[in-house]
Amino acid sequence: DVCSSDLAVGLVRMPRFLALLFAVLSASMAAQGAPAPGPVFLLGGNSFQGALFAEALRPALRESFRGRTRVALILEAVHPDDRGAMEARLRAGFRDLGAEAAPVPLADTAAARSTLASADGIFIVGGETFVLLAALHRDGLLEVIRSRVRAGMPFAGSSAGANVAGLIIGTTNDFPVAEIPSRTALGLVPVTVNPHHPPPSAAAEFRLRAGKIRGYLRFNPRDTVLGLGEASMAVWRDGRLTLLAGSAWLYRAGEDRELKTDARSEEHTS
């Protein structure tokens, strides 16, 4: 198996143990029949500028979604009163990328499964993570989405949508406003995601968030946490996590560091 010891197109050089960690995680996911990257885009939140995706995010999204005519939008994390406006915004955003998108009708489980089965892309919008995960469990859609990503379909999730792309819901910033049967999520990437990660310039907020994540890892030392800043985007593809825009931090018990987009990447064979 080939795994990068840097987690971006040129991220900061990572210690050997982190390279081995991701090699083991990737091998473990493959052994369990976990989805191969579709690719999987993780957006840290606030990913729009006006009516369109933020400029820094558009090139990579356009490359993967251009020409697709059945991008499935999962809007369940948004309050029902606001879903119409969000749908219109996302349709316009994907049209700018050269794609057509439409919402998944989660109120009708059979129709939702059919829509996802015929989709050629998936985007899960941000909002309330627990409401979103509850719906995915309730309607049995986790495995449907996994299978489509395994087949090579591109996936993108913003904020709550990035949360559910991880292994479990462990470091979300949301209140538990809905009951969930399990914290198990899609498992598209071998990390637990923390979106809206504050930048170091917001010193107090940064220290608080980093401290909370380190505290989480004291109780969950086998987890790896990816913190994603606002308007940031990473992609998981072919066993490599790449920071494409913005800022991100990788946390492991006893070790954390900021990821970079301007250093040279390396590969190691495990």
Side-chain angles (χ1 to χ4, degrees):
D1 295 332
V2 177
C3 178
S4 176
S5 65
D6 299 317
L7 302 181
V9 168
L11 291 181
V12 65
R13 184 162 300 190
M14 304 296 292
R16 175 67 176 173
F17 88 91
L18 281 180
L20 293 174
L21 164 69
F22 268 78
V24 170
L25 287 169
S26 299
S28 174
M29 291 178 75
Q32 296 172 19
V40 177
F41 293 96
L42 306 173
L43 286 67
N46 290 333
S47 52
F48 268 74
Q49 290 178 337
L52 305 178
F53 284 102
E55 186 174 354
L57 312 183
R58 291 178 210 162
L61 292 175
R62 183 173 287 118
E63 180 181 357
S64 289
F65 285 96
R66 178 192 286 130
R68 297 182 183 269
T69 59
R70 300 183 307 280
V71 177
L73 304 176
I74 297 182
L75 306 173
E76 194 72 9
V78 179
H79 190 277
D81 292 348
D82 302 324
R83 287 177 193 163
M86 180 58 71
E87 177 188 341
R89 191 178 194 187
L90 286 170
R91 282 179 181 269
F94 273 98
R95 197 167 295 119
D96 174 69
L97 300 179
E100 293 298 326
V104 176
L106 290 188
D108 183 335
T109 301
R113 287 172 170 268
S114 176
T115 299
L116 288 169
S118 63
D120 56 9
I122 296 178
F123 185 89
I124 303 184
V125 72
E128 296 293 342
T129 299
F130 289 90
V131 172
L132 169 61
L133 187 60
L136 296 179
H137 276 289
R138 179 193 68 220
D139 297 333
L141 298 181
L142 291 172
E143 184 52 38
V144 177
I145 295 171
R146 290 186 194 115
S147 67
R148 299 296 292 126
V149 175
R150 187 182 299 125
M153 184 174 66
F155 171 99
S158 178
S159 187
N163 278 334
V164 299
L167 294 171
I168 62 169
I169 300 305
T171 54
T172 179
N173 306 307
D174 299 354
F175 287 3
V177 298
E179 295 292 336
I180 54 174
S182 167
R183 293 191 298 126
T184 300
L186 287 164
L188 304 179
V189 291
V191 297
T192 299
V193 179
N194 176 251
H196 306 285
H197 194 296
S201 58
E205 291 86 349
F206 180 86
R207 286 195 301 269
L208 179 61
R209 182 69 58 85
K212 287 176 69 69
I213 293 173
R214 291 171 190 143
Y216 170 86
L217 289 170
R218 292 185 68 189
F219 289 95
N220 301 274
R222 295 184 178 182
D223 286 10
T224 299
V225 177
L226 174 66
L228 282 168
E230 301 285 9
S232 297
M233 184 169 73
V235 62
W236 176 258
R237 190 198 319 254
D238 299 330
R240 180 182 301 137
L241 188 66
T242 304
L243 180 63
L244 299 176
S247 54
W249 291 263
L250 192 73
Y251 292 84
R252 180 71 179 160
E255 177 76 25
D256 53 76
R257 62 182 58 229
E258 183 177 3
L259 306 184
K260 301 290 185 182
T261 58
D262 57 357
R264 217 182 76 177
S265 66
E266 296 178 352
E267 291 186 354
H268 286 276
T269 301
S270 58

